[in-house]
Coordinates of all heavy atoms in Angstrom, one line a residue:
M24 N 199.2 183.2 3.2 CA 200.2 182.7 4.1 C 201.5 183.3 3.7 O 201.9 183.3 2.5 CB 200.2 181.2 3.9 CG 199.8 180.4 5.2 SD 200.3 178.7 5.3 CE 198.9 178.0 4.5
G25 N 202.3 183.8 4.6 CA 203.6 184.3 4.4 C 204.7 183.3 4.8 O 204.5 182.4 5.5
T26 N 206.0 183.4 4.1 CA 207.0 182.5 4.5 C 208.2 183.3 5.2 O 208.5 184.4 4.7 CB 207.6 181.9 3.2 OG1 206.5 181.3 2.5 CG2 208.6 180.9 3.4
Y27 N 208.6 182.7 6.2 CA 209.8 183.4 6.9 C 211.0 182.9 6.3 O 211.1 182.0 5.6 CB 209.7 183.0 8.5 CG 208.6 183.5 9.3 CD1 207.5 182.9 9.5 CD2 208.7 184.9 9.6 CE1 206.5 183.4 10.3 CE2 207.7 185.4 10.5 CZ 206.6 184.6 10.7 OH 205.6 185.3 11.4
P28 N 212.1 183.7 6.5 CA 213.4 183.5 5.8 C 214.0 182.1 6.2 O 214.7 181.5 5.3 CB 214.4 184.5 6.5 CG 213.5 185.5 7.1 CD 212.2 185.0 7.4
H29 N 213.6 181.6 7.3 CA 214.2 180.1 7.7 C 213.2 179.0 7.2 O 213.5 177.8 7.5 CB 214.4 180.0 9.1 CG 213.3 180.3 10.0 ND1 212.9 181.6 10.3 CD2 212.4 179.5 10.6 CE1 211.8 181.5 11.1 NE2 211.5 180.3 11.3
G30 N 212.3 179.2 6.3 CA 211.5 178.3 5.7 C 210.1 178.0 6.3 O 209.3 177.2 5.8
H31 N 209.9 178.6 7.5 CA 208.6 178.5 8.1 C 207.5 179.3 7.4 O 207.8 180.3 6.9 CB 208.7 178.8 9.6 CG 209.5 178.0 10.4 ND1 210.5 178.4 11.2 CD2 209.5 176.6 10.5 CE1 211.1 177.4 11.9 NE2 210.5 176.3 11.5
Q32 N 206.3 178.7 7.5 CA 205.2 179.5 7.0 C 204.2 179.9 8.1 O 204.1 179.3 9.1 CB 204.4 178.6 5.9 CG 205.2 178.3 4.7 CD 204.5 177.3 3.9 OE1 203.4 176.9 4.1 NE2 205.1 177.1 2.7
H33 N 203.5 181.0 7.8 CA 202.5 181.4 9.0 C 201.3 181.7 8.2 O 201.1 182.0 7.1 CB 203.1 182.7 9.7 CG 203.2 183.9 8.7 ND1 202.1 184.8 8.6 CD2 204.1 184.3 8.0 CE1 202.5 185.7 7.8 NE2 203.7 185.5 7.4
A34 N 200.2 181.5 9.0 CA 198.9 181.7 8.6 C 198.2 183.0 9.3 O 198.7 183.3 10.5 CB 198.0 180.5 8.9
G35 N 197.2 183.6 8.8 CA 196.7 184.8 9.4 C 195.7 184.4 10.4 O 194.8 185.2 10.7
M36 N 195.7 183.2 11.1 CA 194.9 182.9 12.1 C 195.6 182.7 13.5 O 196.8 182.6 13.5 CB 194.2 181.6 11.8 CG 195.0 180.4 11.5 SD 194.1 179.1 11.3 CE 195.3 177.7 11.0
N37 N 194.9 182.8 14.5 CA 195.4 182.7 15.9 C 195.5 181.1 16.3 O 194.4 180.5 16.1 CB 194.4 183.4 16.9 CG 195.1 183.4 18.3 OD1 195.9 182.6 18.6 ND2 194.6 184.3 19.1
A38 N 196.6 180.7 16.8 CA 196.8 179.3 17.1 C 195.9 178.9 18.4 O 195.8 177.9 18.6 CB 198.3 179.0 17.2
G39 N 195.6 180.0 19.1 CA 195.0 179.7 20.3 C 195.8 179.2 21.5 O 195.2 178.7 22.5
V40 N 197.1 179.2 21.4 CA 197.9 178.8 22.4 C 198.6 179.9 23.1 O 199.1 180.8 22.6 CB 199.1 178.0 21.8 CG1 200.0 177.4 22.9 CG2 198.5 176.7 21.0
G41 N 198.4 180.1 24.5 CA 198.9 181.1 25.2 C 198.2 182.4 25.1 O 198.7 183.5 25.6
A42 N 197.2 182.6 24.4 CA 196.6 183.8 24.2 C 195.3 183.9 25.2 O 194.5 183.1 25.2 CB 195.9 183.9 22.8
G43 N 195.4 184.8 26.0 CA 194.4 185.0 27.0 C 193.6 186.3 26.8 O 194.1 187.2 26.2
A44 N 192.5 186.6 27.5 CA 191.7 187.9 27.4 C 192.5 188.9 28.0 O 192.3 190.0 27.7 CB 190.4 187.5 28.0
D45 N 193.4 188.6 29.1 CA 194.1 189.7 29.8 C 195.4 190.0 29.2 O 196.2 190.7 29.8 CB 194.1 189.4 31.2 CG 194.9 188.0 31.6 OD1 194.9 187.2 30.6 OD2 195.2 187.8 32.6
S46 N 195.8 189.4 28.0 CA 197.1 189.5 27.5 C 197.3 190.9 26.8 O 196.4 191.5 26.3 CB 197.3 188.4 26.4 OG 198.6 188.7 25.7
L47 N 198.4 191.5 27.0 CA 198.7 192.8 26.3 C 199.1 192.7 25.0 O 199.1 193.7 24.3 CB 199.8 193.5 27.2 CG 199.4 193.8 28.7 CD1 200.6 194.4 29.4 CD2 198.3 194.7 28.8
C48 N 199.5 191.5 24.6 CA 199.9 191.3 23.1 C 198.8 190.9 22.1 O 197.9 190.2 22.6 CB 201.1 190.3 23.1 SG 202.5 190.7 24.1
P49 N 198.9 191.3 21.1 CA 197.8 190.9 20.0 C 198.1 189.3 19.8 O 199.1 188.9 19.9 CB 198.0 191.8 18.9 CG 199.4 192.2 18.9 CD 199.8 192.3 20.4
P50 N 197.0 188.7 19.3 CA 197.3 187.2 18.9 C 198.3 187.1 17.8 O 198.3 187.9 16.9 CB 195.9 186.8 18.5 CG 195.0 188.0 18.5 CD 195.8 189.2 19.1
A51 N 199.1 186.1 17.9 CA 200.1 185.9 16.9 C 199.7 185.0 15.9 O 198.7 184.1 16.1 CB 201.4 185.3 17.5
D52 N 200.2 185.1 14.7 CA 199.8 184.2 13.6 C 200.5 182.8 13.9 O 201.6 182.8 14.4 CB 200.3 184.8 12.3 CG 199.5 185.9 11.9 OD1 198.4 186.2 12.3 OD2 200.1 186.8 11.1
A53 N 199.9 181.8 13.3 CA 200.5 180.4 13.5 C 201.6 180.3 12.6 O 201.6 180.8 11.5 CB 199.4 179.4 13.1
I54 N 202.6 179.5 13.1 CA 203.8 179.2 12.2 C 203.7 177.7 11.8 O 203.6 176.9 12.7 CB 205.1 179.6 13.1 CG1 205.0 181.0 13.3 CG2 206.3 179.2 12.2 CD1 206.3 181.5 14.3
F55 N 204.0 177.4 10.6 CA 203.9 176.1 10.1 C 205.4 175.7 9.7 O 206.0 176.4 8.8 CB 203.0 175.9 9.0 CG 201.6 176.1 9.3 CD1 200.9 177.4 9.2 CD2 200.8 175.1 9.7 CE1 199.6 177.5 9.5 CE2 199.4 175.3 10.1 CZ 198.9 176.5 9.9
D56 N 205.9 174.7 10.5 CA 207.2 174.2 10.0 C 207.0 173.4 8.7 O 205.9 172.8 8.4 CB 207.7 173.2 11.1 CG 208.3 174.0 12.3 OD1 208.7 175.1 12.1 OD2 208.5 173.3 13.3
P57 N 208.1 173.2 8.0 CA 208.0 172.3 6.8 C 207.6 170.9 7.3 O 208.1 170.6 8.4 CB 209.3 172.4 6.2 CG 210.2 173.3 6.9 CD 209.4 173.9 8.0
P58 N 207.1 170.1 6.4 CA 206.7 168.7 7.0 C 207.9 167.9 7.2 O 208.9 168.0 6.6 CB 205.9 168.2 5.8 CG 206.2 169.0 4.6 CD 206.7 170.4 5.1
Q59 N 207.9 167.1 8.3 CA 208.9 166.2 8.6 C 208.3 164.8 8.2 O 207.2 164.5 8.4 CB 209.2 166.1 10.0 CG 209.8 167.5 10.6 CD 210.2 167.5 12.0 OE1 210.1 166.3 12.6 NE2 210.5 168.5 12.6
Y60 N 209.2 164.0 7.5 CA 208.7 162.7 7.0 C 209.2 161.7 7.8 O 210.3 161.6 8.3 CB 209.3 162.6 5.6 CG 208.8 163.7 4.6 CD1 209.5 164.8 4.3 CD2 207.4 163.6 4.1 CE1 209.0 165.8 3.5 CE2 207.0 164.6 3.3 CZ 207.8 165.7 3.0 OH 207.4 166.6 2.1
V61 N 208.3 160.7 8.0 CA 208.5 159.5 8.8 C 208.3 158.4 7.8 O 207.3 158.2 7.2 CB 207.5 159.2 10.0 CG1 207.9 157.9 10.6 CG2 207.7 160.4 11.0
V62 N 209.5 157.7 7.4 CA 209.4 156.7 6.4 C 209.2 155.3 7.1 O 209.7 155.0 8.0 CB 210.7 156.7 5.7 CG1 210.7 155.5 4.6 CG2 211.0 157.9 5.0
N63 N 208.1 154.6 6.6 CA 207.8 153.4 7.1 C 208.2 152.3 6.1 O 207.5 152.2 5.0 CB 206.2 153.3 7.5 CG 205.8 152.0 8.0 OD1 206.7 151.2 8.6 ND2 204.5 151.5 7.8
N64 N 209.2 151.6 6.2 CA 209.7 150.7 5.2 C 208.9 149.4 5.5 O 208.8 148.7 6.5 CB 211.2 150.3 5.4 CG 212.0 151.5 5.1 OD1 211.8 152.0 4.0 ND2 213.0 151.9 6.0
V65 N 208.3 148.9 4.4 CA 207.6 147.6 4.4 C 208.2 146.7 3.4 O 208.5 147.0 2.3 CB 206.2 147.9 3.9 CG1 205.3 146.6 3.8 CG2 205.4 148.9 4.8
Y66 N 208.5 145.5 3.9 CA 209.2 144.5 3.1 C 208.4 143.4 2.7 O 207.6 142.9 3.6 CB 210.5 143.9 3.9 CG 211.4 145.0 4.3 CD1 211.4 145.8 5.4 CD2 212.5 145.3 3.2 CE1 212.4 146.7 5.7 CE2 213.4 146.3 3.6 CZ 213.3 147.0 4.8 OH 214.2 148.0 5.1
H67 N 208.5 142.9 1.4 CA 207.7 141.9 0.9 C 208.6 140.8 0.4 O 209.7 141.0 -0.3 CB 206.8 142.4 -0.2 CG 205.8 143.4 0.2 ND1 204.6 143.2 0.9 CD2 206.0 144.8 0.1 CE1 204.1 144.3 1.1 NE2 204.8 145.2 0.7
Q68 N 208.3 139.6 0.7 CA 209.1 138.4 0.3 C 209.0 138.3 -1.3 O 208.0 138.3 -1.9 CB 208.7 137.1 1.0 CG 209.0 137.1 2.4 CD 208.6 135.9 3.0 OE1 208.1 134.9 2.3 NE2 209.0 135.6 4.3
Q69 N 210.2 138.1 -1.9 CA 210.3 137.8 -3.3 C 211.1 136.6 -3.5 O 212.3 136.5 -3.0 CB 211.0 139.1 -4.0 CG 211.1 138.7 -5.5 CD 212.0 139.9 -6.2 OE1 212.7 140.6 -5.5 NE2 211.9 140.1 -7.4
V70 N 210.6 135.6 -4.2 CA 211.3 134.3 -4.4 C 212.4 134.5 -5.3 O 212.4 135.1 -6.4 CB 210.4 133.2 -4.9 CG1 211.0 131.9 -5.2 CG2 209.1 133.0 -4.0
Q71 N 213.6 134.1 -4.8 CA 214.8 134.2 -5.6 C 215.4 132.8 -5.8 O 216.1 132.3 -4.8 CB 215.9 135.1 -4.9 CG 217.3 135.1 -5.5 CD 217.2 135.8 -6.9 OE1 216.8 136.9 -6.9 NE2 217.6 135.1 -7.8
P72 N 215.3 132.1 -7.0 CA 215.8 130.9 -7.2 C 217.3 130.9 -7.1 O 218.0 131.7 -7.6 CB 215.3 130.5 -8.6 CG 214.2 131.3 -8.8 CD 214.5 132.7 -8.1
I73 N 217.9 129.8 -6.3 CA 219.3 129.7 -6.2 C 219.6 128.3 -6.6 O 219.1 127.3 -5.8 CB 219.8 130.0 -4.8 CG1 219.5 131.5 -4.5 CG2 221.3 129.8 -4.7 CD1 219.9 131.9 -3.1
V74 N 220.3 128.0 -7.6 CA 220.6 126.6 -8.1 C 221.9 126.2 -7.5 O 222.9 126.9 -7.8 CB 220.5 126.6 -9.6 CG1 220.8 125.2 -10.2 CG2 219.2 127.1 -10.2
H75 N 222.0 125.1 -6.9 CA 223.2 124.5 -6.4 C 223.4 123.3 -7.2 O 222.6 122.2 -7.1 CB 223.0 124.1 -4.9 CG 222.8 125.3 -4.0 ND1 223.8 126.2 -3.5 CD2 221.6 125.9 -3.5 CE1 223.2 127.1 -2.8 NE2 222.0 126.9 -2.7
T76 N 224.4 123.2 -8.0 CA 224.7 122.1 -8.9 C 225.7 121.2 -8.0 O 226.7 121.6 -7.6 CB 225.5 122.6 -10.2 OG1 224.6 123.5 -10.8 CG2 225.8 121.4 -11.1
I77 N 225.3 119.9 -8.0 CA 226.3 118.8 -7.4 C 226.6 117.9 -8.6 O 225.7 117.4 -9.2 CB 225.5 118.1 -6.3 CG1 225.0 119.1 -5.2 CG2 226.3 117.0 -5.8 CD1 224.2 118.5 -4.2
E78 N 227.9 117.7 -8.7 CA 228.5 116.9 -9.8 C 229.1 115.7 -9.0 O 230.1 115.9 -8.3 CB 229.5 117.6 -10.7 CG 229.9 116.9 -11.9 CD 230.7 117.7 -12.7 OE1 230.6 119.0 -12.8 OE2 231.7 117.1 -13.4
Y79 N 228.8 114.5 -9.4 CA 229.3 113.3 -8.9 C 230.3 112.9 -9.9 O 230.3 112.7 -11.0 CB 228.2 112.2 -8.7 CG 227.2 112.4 -7.6 CD1 226.0 113.0 -7.9 CD2 227.5 112.2 -6.3 CE1 225.1 113.3 -6.9 CE2 226.6 112.5 -5.3 CZ 225.4 113.1 -5.6 OH 224.5 113.2 -4.7
I80 N 231.5 112.5 -9.2 CA 232.7 112.1 -10.0 C 233.1 110.7 -9.5 O 233.4 110.6 -8.3 CB 233.9 113.1 -9.8 CG1 233.5 114.5 -10.3 CG2 235.1 112.5 -10.5 CD1 234.5 115.5 -10.1
N81 N 233.2 109.7 -10.3 CA 233.5 108.4 -10.1 C 235.0 108.2 -10.4 O 235.3 108.2 -11.6 CB 232.6 107.2 -10.8 CG 231.2 107.4 -10.3 OD1 231.0 107.5 -9.2 ND2 230.3 107.2 -11.2
Q82 N 235.8 108.0 -9.6 CA 237.2 107.9 -9.7 C 237.6 106.4 -9.6 O 237.1 105.7 -8.6 CB 238.1 108.6 -8.7 CG 238.0 110.1 -8.7 CD 238.9 110.8 -7.8 OE1 239.3 110.2 -6.8 NE2 239.2 112.0 -8.1
H83 N 238.2 105.8 -10.7 CA 238.5 104.4 -10.8 C 240.1 104.3 -10.6 O 240.8 104.9 -11.1 CB 238.1 103.8 -12.1 CG 236.7 103.9 -12.4 ND1 235.8 102.9 -12.0 CD2 236.0 104.9 -12.9 CE1 234.5 103.3 -12.2 NE2 234.7 104.5 -12.9
H84 N 240.4 103.3 -9.6 CA 241.8 103.1 -9.2 C 242.1 101.7 -9.4 O 241.3 100.8 -9.1 CB 242.1 103.6 -7.9 CG 241.7 105.0 -7.5 ND1 242.5 106.0 -7.8 CD2 240.6 105.5 -7.1 CE1 241.9 107.2 -7.5 NE2 240.7 107.0 -7.0
C85 N 243.3 101.3 -10.0 CA 243.8 100.0 -10.1 C 244.6 99.6 -8.8 O 245.5 100.5 -8.3 CB 244.7 99.9 -11.2 SG 243.8 99.9 -12.8
V86 N 244.2 98.5 -8.1 CA 244.8 98.2 -6.8 C 245.4 96.7 -7.1 O 244.6 95.7 -7.5 CB 243.8 98.1 -5.7 CG1 244.4 97.7 -4.4 CG2 243.3 99.5 -5.6
P87 N 246.7 96.5 -6.9 CA 247.2 95.1 -7.1 C 246.7 94.2 -6.0 O 246.6 94.5 -4.8 CB 248.7 95.4 -6.9 CG 248.9 96.7 -6.9 CD 247.6 97.4 -6.6
V88 N 246.2 92.9 -6.4 CA 245.7 92.0 -5.5 C 246.5 90.7 -5.8 O 246.5 90.2 -6.9 CB 244.2 91.7 -5.8 CG1 243.7 90.6 -4.8 CG2 243.4 93.0 -5.5
P89 N 247.2 90.1 -4.8 CA 247.9 89.0 -5.0 C 247.1 87.8 -5.5 O 246.1 87.5 -4.8 CB 248.7 88.7 -3.7 CG 248.4 89.9 -2.8 CD 247.3 90.6 -3.4
H90 N 247.6 87.1 -6.5 CA 246.8 85.9 -7.0 C 248.0 84.9 -7.1 O 248.8 84.8 -8.0 CB 246.3 86.1 -8.3 CG 245.6 84.9 -9.0 ND1 244.4 84.3 -8.5 CD2 246.0 84.1 -10.0 CE1 244.1 83.4 -9.2 NE2 245.0 83.2 -10.1
H91 N 248.0 83.9 -6.1 CA 249.2 82.9 -6.1 C 249.0 81.8 -7.0 O 247.8 81.2 -7.0 CB 249.3 82.4 -4.6 CG 249.6 83.6 -3.7 ND1 250.9 84.0 -3.5 CD2 248.8 84.2 -2.8 CE1 250.9 85.0 -2.6 NE2 249.6 85.2 -2.2
I92 N 249.9 81.4 -7.8 CA 249.9 80.4 -8.7 C 251.1 79.5 -8.4 O 252.3 79.9 -8.2 CB 250.1 80.9 -10.1 CG1 248.9 81.9 -10.5 CG2 250.2 79.7 -11.2 CD1 249.1 82.5 -11.8
Y93 N 250.7 78.1 -8.3 CA 251.8 77.1 -8.0 C 251.8 76.2 -9.1 O 251.0 75.8 -9.8 CB 251.2 76.3 -6.7 CG 251.1 77.1 -5.4 CD1 249.8 77.7 -5.1 CD2 252.2 77.4 -4.6 CE1 249.8 78.5 -4.0 CE2 252.1 78.2 -3.5 CZ 250.8 78.8 -3.2 OH 250.6 79.5 -2.0
T94 N 253.2 76.0 -9.4 CA 253.6 75.0 -10.5 C 254.1 73.7 -9.8 O 254.9 73.9 -8.7 CB 254.5 75.6 -11.4 OG1 255.7 76.0 -10.8 CG2 253.9 76.8 -12.1
C95 N 254.0 72.6 -10.3 CA 254.6 71.4 -9.8 C 255.5 70.7 -10.9 O 255.3 70.8 -12.0 CB 253.4 70.4 -9.5 SG 252.3 71.0 -8.2
K96 N 256.6 70.3 -10.2 CA 257.6 69.6 -11.2 C 257.9 68.2 -10.5 O 257.8 68.1 -9.2 CB 258.8 70.4 -11.3 CG 258.8 71.6 -12.0 CD 260.0 72.3 -12.5 CE 261.1 72.6 -11.6 NZ 262.2 73.3 -12.3
T97 N 258.3 67.3 -11.3 CA 258.6 66.0 -10.9 C 260.2 65.8 -11.1 O 260.6 66.2 -12.3 CB 257.9 64.8 -11.4 OG1 256.4 65.1 -11.1 CG2 258.3 63.5 -11.0
K98 N 260.9 65.4 -10.2 CA 262.3 65.2 -10.4 C 262.7 63.7 -9.9 O 262.3 63.4 -8.9 CB 263.0 66.3 -9.5 CG 264.5 66.3 -9.7 CD 265.1 67.5 -8.9 CE 266.6 67.6 -9.0 NZ 267.1 68.6 -8.2
D99 N 263.5 63.2 -10.7 CA 263.9 61.8 -10.3 C 265.4 61.9 -9.9 O 266.2 62.6 -10.4 CB 263.9 60.9 -11.7 CG 262.5 60.5 -12.0 OD1 261.6 60.4 -11.2 OD2 262.3 60.6 -13.3
V100 N 265.7 61.3 -8.7 CA 266.9 61.3 -8.1 C 267.4 60.0 -7.8 O 266.6 59.1 -7.3 CB 266.9 62.1 -6.7 CG1 268.2 62.1 -6.1 CG2 266.4 63.5 -7.0
M101 N 268.5 59.6 -8.2 CA 269.1 58.2 -8.1 C 269.7 58.2 -6.6 O 270.5 58.9 -6.2 CB 270.2 57.9 -9.1 CG 269.6 57.9 -10.5 SD 268.4 56.6 -10.7 CE 269.3 55.2 -10.7
C102 N 269.3 57.0 -6.0 CA 269.8 56.7 -4.6 C 270.8 55.7 -4.8 O 270.9 55.0 -5.8 CB 268.6 56.2 -3.8 SG 267.4 57.6 -3.4
S103 N 271.4 55.4 -3.7 CA 272.5 54.3 -3.7 C 271.9 52.9 -3.9 O 270.8 52.6 -3.5 CB 273.3 54.2 -2.4 OG 272.4 54.0 -1.3
S104 N 272.6 52.1 -4.6 CA 272.1 50.8 -4.9 C 272.4 49.8 -3.8 O 273.0 50.2 -2.9 CB 272.8 50.2 -6.1 OG 274.2 50.1 -5.8
V105 N 271.8 48.7 -3.8 CA 272.0 47.6 -2.8 C 273.4 47.1 -2.7 O 274.1 46.9 -1.7 CB 271.1 46.5 -3.1 CG1 271.3 45.3 -2.1 CG2 269.7 46.9 -3.2
R106 N 274.1 47.0 -3.8 CA 275.5 46.7 -3.8 C 276.4 47.6 -3.1 O 277.3 47.1 -2.3 CB 276.0 46.6 -5.3 CG 277.5 46.1 -5.4 CD 278.1 46.1 -6.8 NE 277.2 45.7 -7.8 CZ 277.4 45.9 -9.1 NH1 278.5 46.5 -9.5 NH2 276.7 45.3 -10.0
N107 N 276.3 48.8 -3.2 CA 277.0 49.8 -2.4 C 276.8 49.8 -1.0 O 277.6 49.8 -0.1 CB 276.7 51.2 -2.9 CG 277.2 51.4 -4.3 OD1 278.2 50.8 -4.7 ND2 276.7 52.5 -5.0
R108 N 275.7 49.4 -0.6 CA 275.4 49.2 0.9 C 276.0 48.1 1.4 O 276.6 48.2 2.5 CB 273.8 49.1 1.1 CG 273.0 50.3 0.9 CD 271.6 50.1 1.4 NE 270.7 51.2 1.0 CZ 269.4 51.2 1.0 NH1 268.8 50.2 1.4 NH2 268.8 52.2 0.8
R109 N 276.1 47.0 0.8 CA 276.8 45.9 1.3 C 278.3 46.0 1.5 O 278.9 45.6 2.5 CB 276.6 44.7 0.5 CG 275.2 44.0 0.5 CD 275.2 42.8 -0.4 NE 273.8 42.4 -0.4 CZ 273.4 41.4 -1.3 NH1 274.2 41.0 -2.2 NH2 272.2 41.1 -1.3
S110 N 278.8 46.7 0.5 CA 280.2 47.0 0.7 C 280.6 47.9 1.8 O 281.6 47.8 2.5 CB 280.8 47.5 -0.6 OG 280.2 48.8 -0.9
K111 N 279.7 48.8 2.1 CA 279.9 49.7 3.2 C 279.7 48.9 4.5 O 280.5 49.2 5.4 CB 278.9 50.8 3.2 CG 279.2 51.8 2.1 CD 278.2 53.0 2.3 CE 278.4 54.0 1.1 NZ 277.4 55.1 1.1
K112 N 278.9 48.0 4.6 CA 278.6 47.1 5.8 C 279.9 46.3 6.1 O 280.3 46.1 7.2 CB 277.4 46.4 5.7 CG 276.1 47.1 5.9 CD 275.0 46.1 5.8 CE 273.7 47.0 5.8 NZ 272.5 46.1 5.8
S113 N 280.3 45.8 5.0 CA 281.6 44.9 5.3 C 282.8 45.6 5.8 O 283.6 45.0 6.5 CB 281.8 44.1 3.9 OG 282.2 45.0 3.0
K114 N 282.9 46.7 5.4 CA 284.1 47.5 5.8 C 283.9 47.9 7.4 O 285.0 48.0 8.0 CB 284.2 48.8 5.1 CG 284.6 48.6 3.6 CD 284.8 49.9 2.9 CE 285.2 49.7 1.5 NZ 285.3 51.0 0.7
K115 N 282.8 48.0 7.9 CA 282.5 48.3 9.2 C 283.0 47.2 10.1 O 283.4 47.4 11.2 CB 281.3 48.8 9.5 CG 280.8 50.1 9.0 CD 279.4 50.4 9.4 CE 279.0 51.8 8.8 NZ 277.6 52.1 9.1
R116 N 283.0 45.9 9.7 CA 283.3 44.8 10.5 C 284.6 44.6 10.9 O 285.7 44.9 11.1 CB 282.8 43.5 9.9 CG 281.3 43.4 9.9 CD 281.1 42.0 9.3 NE 279.7 41.9 9.1 CZ 279.2 40.8 8.6 NH1 279.8 39.8 8.2 NH2 277.9 40.8 8.4

């Protein structure tokens, strides 16, 4: 098999294409192109662990809540006496 300058190869056999009994040309040698590749990508699942960390945070807040406290006092108050009342009544007459 010989190689042409552009990378093709040829064999010393007739390819049988276009060669007839009434052809004036001698049979040509077959030309072989360099192979063309068709890539078939095949994908397979691969388990990839992904860890998601969740952190709980408890926030504590002080909130004022009213707590009502009542105190009691006793107070003594002096009122007018009976004598003072009579004197006021007598003046009105």
Side-chain angles (χ1 to χ4, degrees):
M24 244 196 276
T26 302
Y27 288 101
H29 57 277
H31 291 130
Q32 295 177 351
H33 66 90
M36 62 179 176
N37 187 338
V40 179
D45 57 346
S46 176
L47 299 175
C48 297
D52 292 337
I54 298 174
F55 293 93
D56 281 340
Q59 295 183 11
Y60 298 99
V61 176
V62 177
N63 183 25
N64 292 311
V65 179
Y66 297 93
H67 301 276
Q68 292 183 354
Q69 178 186 20
V70 176
Q71 173 68 57
I73 299 174
V74 178
H75 298 277
T76 301
I77 298 173
E78 185 173 335
Y79 292 98
I80 299 172
N81 293 322
Q82 294 182 339
H83 298 270
H84 304 277
C85 292
V86 178
V88 176
H90 177 76
H91 299 280
I92 299 172
Y93 296 95
T94 60
C95 296
K96 291 197 307 184
T97 301
K98 183 175 180 180
D99 291 325
V100 178
M101 294 301 289
C102 297
S103 62
S104 64
V105 175
R106 186 189 309 167
N107 288 340
R108 284 188 188 167
R109 287 184 187 165
S110 63
K111 288 181 181 177
K112 286 184 181 178
S113 62
K114 288 183 181 177
K115 288 185 179 178
R116 287 185 185 178

